[in-house]
Amino acid sequence: PDWKNTVPEDILKTLSAHEIKRQEVINELFQTEKSHVRGLKVLDRVFYRPMKEQLVLPQDQISLLFANLEEMLDIHSQFNNSMKAKRKEGPVVGEVGDLLYSMFEGCEGEHFQQAAATFCARQHIALEALKEKRRKDPKLNSFLTDAEGNPVCRRLQLKDIIPSGMLRLTKYPLLLKNLDKYTDGGSEEAVRVQRAEERSREILNYVNMAVKEAEDQHRLADIQRRLDKAPFDKADHPLASEFKNLDLTRHRLIYEGPLNWRIANRPKLIDLHVLLLEDVIILLQKQDDKYVLKFYSSTFSPVIKVSTVIVRPNAVDKKALFLVNTAQNGAQIYDLVATSSSEKRLWFKHISDAAEAYKTREGKHRRQDTAAHEDNLSHDKTKDLEDSATSGSDLLSPPRANGAEDSPTTPTPLLSGESTPHASPSSTTPLPDTPEPIVRKMGEGLSPSPVRRVAEPLRQTTAESSLIEPTEVLVCQSPVLTAEPVLTPLEKLRRTDEVIREALEEKKRLVADILRVPRDDYDNIAELAAEPSGDKEAAEILLAAVTQANKLWSVVNEALRVSEEEAVSASASASGGPDGTRHRFPGVPAHQLHHISSSLNSQLSQLLNVMT
C-alpha cells in the first residue's frame, strides 16, 4: 500500500522531495519484510506442519526441505515487529539506523547469518529430490496439489515459495544502498545504514559460499556413488596402494569439468572428466553412467597430488596447458586441452591458486611443528637443569653412615627427669646412648631441641540437661486483621482495561469457532486474510473485517488509558500549579484511525461485492 495514504495532508506538504524518496525506500523495505514473513508462515502452516502430521515424506527429507524454517520465521518476525513498532511511532518514519544495525551487526547479525546459511544451503538439492519423488509418489503429488491450491498460496507452487529466503537476502543490499543514497551523509544515521549494507552483503556472500559447498559435497557424493576404481586398484603402482580407500566426500571440490588429454603417439584425444580437489587432481573417464579411474600407462597416474604439480601454458595451443607432476617416482607432463581459451584460463587459475594455497597451508603447519619442537627442547633443557640443581644440593650434604635409612632420624628417648642439652654448632660427638651415630645436615642443630613432655589423657564429661514439660509451653496467637481494598481511579481504569481485553479475546475465540478457524492460528490466518488480493472468499473477507474492527476497539481502548504521571500532571493543572503544564486529553491518533478505517472500508466493500 501507498505510505502517503497513512500520512495527514498537512504533514505530507512539509516533506521535501529528498525525504519523500527516503520514506518510499523505507516503506518498500518494511512492506517487503512483511510479505516475506507472510510467505514463511504459508510454508510453515500450509506445507511444513501438515506434511509432518500426515507423514507425507520421511522426516529426513522434510528436514532437508525445510531445514530450520521455524528459526527463520522467528528471526524475520522479530524484524517485522521492530519495523511495525517504528512505524507506529508516527506517520513519518524517523531514523532507522539503530534498527538495521541491530538486525545485521553483532551477535544478532551472526545468528542471522548462520541461520540463513542453514536454511538456504541445501534447498536446491532438496527441490530436485522432491521433484523426482513427486513424479513417482501419487500420495505426495495429491497432497502438494491440494496445498498449492490454497488461496493463501496465490497460485504459487512449493518450488516457487521455498527459494524466497535466498531472494530476500539478495534484496537487502539493494534496498539499504538506496536508503543510504537518501540519508544525510556524515551523520550517525548514515554510518549505521552503511554498516548495515556492508553486513548484508557479507551475509549474502557467506550464504552463497555455504550453498556452493553443500552443492559441491552433494556432487562429490554422487560421483563417489558412481565411481568405478577397480582398474586403479589392480595396478602395480605406489599411488594405487596409497589411494586404495579413496573417498571423494572427504575432500573439498574446487572446480570440475571436461578436458581432453593429448598423449604422444596416439592419434585420438582421451576424453576426461577432471576433478580439482583441495589437495589432489583426479582424472576420470566417463563410461555410460560410471566414472572410471584407471592408469593409462605405467608412468601416467590418474591421481596427481597438488603438492607436486606445476602448471604451465602451452605456447603452441591457446586452448591447452601443461601439468607437470614432479613426484619422486619420476616427472610426468600431461598435455591437457580445454574446450575454449577462456576455459583454459579458468583451469590455469584454479590449479595455480590451489597449489599456492597448499604451499601456504604446509608452510604454516611446518612453522607450527618447528615451534612445538623447540618448545619440547626448551622443556627438556629446563628439566635437565632442575635435575642438576637437585643433585647439586645433595652433594653439599655429608655422606650418610652405613645402614642409615632415607627417613629422618628419630630423637633418642630421655630418662625421666633429664633435660635436653643445647647443642653447640661445633658439637659433632654422638650421644653415648645412641645406637648409631646421628649425622646432621648443614644448618641443623642451630636451634635447641624441644623438651619432651608427658601427654595428659583426654577426659570426656557428659552433663544432662533438664527437659521442658509440655504443660510449660505457652503458644500465643495474635489476632489476624483484614483490610478492605480501596481502589484508586487509576486502578479502576486498569481493571476496566483488563475486562475489555478479555472481552476482545473472547470475541476472537467466538469468531474463530464460527468461521471454523483454529484458535491457536487465529492471528496468523487473520493477518494472511488481511493481505490485499483480488480473489478472496467471503469467509476471508469477513475474518479480515472483524480483525480490523477489533483493532479499532484496541486503539480506542489504548487512547483512553491514563498513566500515573498524566494523572498527577492533570491534578496539578486543575489546582492552578505554577508550571502551567497542559495535560493530554484522550484521543485516537489520526494516522492510525485513518489506516484502520481505510482497510475496514475496503474489506466491507469487497464483502458487499461478493454477496451481491
Side-chain angles (χ1 to χ4, degrees):
D2 190 358
W3 65 277
K4 295 180 181 179
N5 295 334
T6 62
V7 180
E9 191 67 26
D10 55 340
I11 298 179
L12 190 60
K13 290 180 181 179
T14 61
L15 300 179
S16 63
H18 189 271
E19 180 61 25
I20 290 176
K21 286 288 186 181
R22 178 176 172 274
Q23 292 295 320
E24 289 176 352
V25 177
I26 293 175
N27 182 67
E28 183 180 2
L29 175 64
F30 286 11
Q31 290 300 323
T32 51
E33 186 69 27
K34 180 180 178 181
S35 177
H36 180 58
V37 171
R38 179 193 181 280
L40 292 177
K41 289 180 179 179
V42 170
L43 273 179
D44 182 48
R45 290 165 177 80
V46 179
F47 295 98
Y48 175 57
R49 294 186 185 182
M51 290 176 80
K52 284 181 62 178
E53 294 171 357
Q54 301 178 26
L55 302 177
V56 180
L57 280 176
Q59 182 59 43
D60 58 337
Q61 295 187 19
I62 293 178
S63 300
L64 182 67
L65 188 62
F66 297 100
N68 58 335
L69 173 62
E70 296 173 341
E71 183 181 14
M72 290 298 292
L73 181 56
D74 290 340
I75 292 174
H76 283 283
S77 295
Q78 291 176 10
F79 291 171
N80 188 36
N81 292 335
S82 300
M83 293 174 180
K84 287 181 179 179
K86 179 64 68 173
R87 172 71 75 185
K88 290 180 180 179
E89 291 179 0
V92 178
V93 180
E95 295 183 349
V96 294
D98 291 342
L99 185 151
L100 299 175
Y101 190 83
S102 63
M103 285 172 54
F104 297 102
E105 189 58 271
C107 296
E108 295 295 330
E110 289 294 330
H111 179 214
F112 178 42
Q113 176 174 288
Q114 295 295 333
T118 303
F119 184 66
C120 300
R122 303 179 67 84
Q123 279 185 354
H124 180 71
I125 301 170
L127 287 175
E128 289 296 324
L130 180 68
K131 179 181 177 181
E132 184 67 19
K133 188 167 183 62
R134 182 173 185 175
R135 186 175 59 85
K136 298 178 180 180
D137 190 347
K139 180 181 177 181
L140 174 62
N141 183 52
S142 175
F143 170 83
L144 292 177
T145 302
D146 293 341
E148 291 166 351
N150 194 311
V152 298
C153 294
R154 297 177 178 177
R155 299 186 178 89
L156 294 176
Q157 295 183 348
L158 178 60
K159 64 181 181 66
D160 304 318
I161 303 175
I162 281 186
S164 61
M166 191 67 192
L167 294 176
R168 185 58 184 164
L169 294 178
T170 61
K171 287 183 179 180
Y172 281 132
L174 301 177
L175 292 171
L176 297 182
K177 185 177 181 180
N178 287 338
L179 181 59
D180 179 44
K181 187 189 302 183
Y182 297 109
T183 304
D184 295 336
S187 62
E188 184 68 22
E189 172 76 358
V191 173
R192 290 187 174 275
V193 171
Q194 290 167 6
R195 180 54 187 159
E197 180 196 350
E198 293 174 2
R199 280 292 295 142
S200 68
R201 293 186 185 278
E202 292 174 2
I203 292 173
L204 177 60
N205 293 334
Y206 182 88
V207 174
N208 280 330
M209 286 298 299
V211 172
K212 182 181 182 303
E213 290 179 1
E215 292 181 351
D216 289 346
Q217 197 67 18
H218 180 72
R219 174 62 176 157
L220 288 178
D222 180 60
I223 296 176
Q224 179 71 33
R225 188 169 55 253
R226 297 190 283 164
L227 181 63
D228 180 12
K229 54 190 296 289
F232 179 80
D233 294 336
K234 294 177 182 178
D236 184 15
H237 195 278
L239 286 176
S241 58
E242 183 178 352
F243 290 91
K244 181 179 180 180
N245 299 319
L246 176 64
D247 186 359
L248 298 177
T249 60
R250 295 180 178 271
H251 301 263
R252 188 171 71 87
L253 179 64
I254 297 177
Y255 195 67
E256 70 163 322
L259 286 175
N260 294 320
W261 189 2
R262 187 161 46 200
I263 301 178
N265 302 326
R266 286 199 182 185
K268 293 185 62 177
L269 302 179
I270 299 177
D271 296 332
L272 299 176
H273 188 85
V274 182
L275 301 179
L276 173 59
L277 306 179
E278 193 174 31
D279 54 350
V280 71
I281 301 174
I282 309 292
L283 307 180
L284 301 174
Q285 197 168 9
K286 194 171 183 180
Q287 294 180 1
D288 298 331
D289 197 36
K290 296 287 186 179
Y291 289 96
V292 181
L293 182 67
K294 65 179 182 179
F295 283 87
Y296 298 93
S297 67
S298 59
T299 56
F300 289 101
S301 169
V303 179
I304 307 170
K305 294 182 179 179
V306 173
S307 60
T308 62
V309 74
I310 300 174
V311 59
R312 292 289 182 265
N314 190 331
V316 179
D317 190 349
K318 294 183 178 180
K319 297 190 297 182
L321 54 87
F322 292 115
L323 282 186
V324 183
N325 184 14
T326 60
Q328 294 180 355
N329 55 350
Q332 301 95 34
I333 299 177
Y334 298 77
D335 186 5
L336 302 178
V337 184
T339 56
S340 64
S341 58
S342 60
E343 185 69 15
K344 186 266 294 188
R345 287 193 293 270
L346 276 177
W347 276 106
F348 192 94
K349 180 180 183 304
H350 286 305
I351 297 175
S352 301
D353 293 345
E356 288 298 323
Y358 186 89
K359 291 177 182 177
T360 303
R361 290 195 304 273
E362 285 299 305
K364 183 178 179 181
H365 293 331
R366 287 196 188 96
R367 288 193 295 271
Q368 292 176 350
D369 294 341
T370 303
H373 181 64
E374 291 177 353
D375 291 342
N376 292 333
L377 290 178
S378 176
H379 181 268
D380 293 341
K381 290 180 180 179
T382 304
K383 186 176 181 181
D384 293 341
L385 290 175
E386 291 176 353
D387 294 342
S388 300
T390 304
S391 60
S393 63
D394 293 339
L395 292 175
L396 295 177
S397 304
R400 298 179 182 270
N402 293 334
E405 297 179 356
D406 292 339
S407 58
T409 56
T410 58
T412 305
L414 300 176
L415 297 176
S416 176
E418 288 186 348
S419 60
T420 304
H422 295 283
S424 62
S426 59
S427 176
T428 59
T429 305
L431 296 175
D433 295 337
T434 306
E436 56 186 36
I438 299 175
V439 181
R440 293 175 178 167
K441 294 184 179 180
M442 295 178 64
E444 293 184 0
L446 297 181
S447 59
S449 302
V451 178
R452 177 179 294 274
R453 299 178 180 273
V454 179
E456 292 290 336
L458 182 63
R459 297 179 180 179
Q460 184 176 2
T461 304
T462 304
E464 296 184 358
S465 59
S466 59
L467 300 178
I468 300 175
E469 294 295 331
T471 56
E472 298 178 4
V473 178
L474 180 61
V475 178
C476 297
Q477 185 175 4
S478 59
V480 179
L481 302 179
T482 58
E484 294 294 332
V486 178
L487 300 180
T488 63
L490 286 176
E491 178 62 21
K492 291 180 179 179
L493 183 61
R494 188 192 67 79
R495 296 193 178 191
T496 305
D497 289 340
E498 185 67 21
V499 171
I500 294 175
R501 188 188 66 79
E502 292 177 356
L504 289 176
E505 288 296 326
E506 179 63 23
K507 182 179 178 182
K508 184 190 300 184
R509 288 191 288 269
L510 291 174
V511 172
D513 294 339
I514 294 173
L515 297 180
R516 297 181 180 179
V517 175
R519 291 184 177 183
D520 295 338
D521 296 335
Y522 178 88
D523 293 332
N524 298 317
I525 296 176
E527 185 176 351
L528 296 177
E531 292 290 332
S533 177
D535 53 352
K536 289 184 179 180
E537 298 179 357
E540 289 184 78
I541 301 173
L542 182 60
L543 179 60
V546 172
T547 303
Q548 292 299 322
N550 289 342
K551 283 185 178 181
L552 182 59
W553 276 105
S554 299
V555 169
V556 173
N557 187 41
E558 183 71 24
L560 292 177
R561 287 185 179 179
V562 179
S563 65
E564 188 172 353
E565 291 80 5
E566 291 173 338
V568 172
S569 177
S571 176
S573 299
S575 60
D579 55 354
T581 304
R582 297 179 59 188
H583 57 274
R584 179 184 69 86
F585 289 98
V588 180
H591 66 279
Q592 294 185 14
L593 186 60
H594 184 272
H595 176 70
I596 295 175
S597 60
S598 299
S599 300
L600 185 59
N601 184 40
S602 174
Q603 288 150 5
L604 293 177
S605 299
Q606 294 180 25
L607 184 60
L608 183 61
N609 293 333
V610 172
M611 295 176 64
T612 56

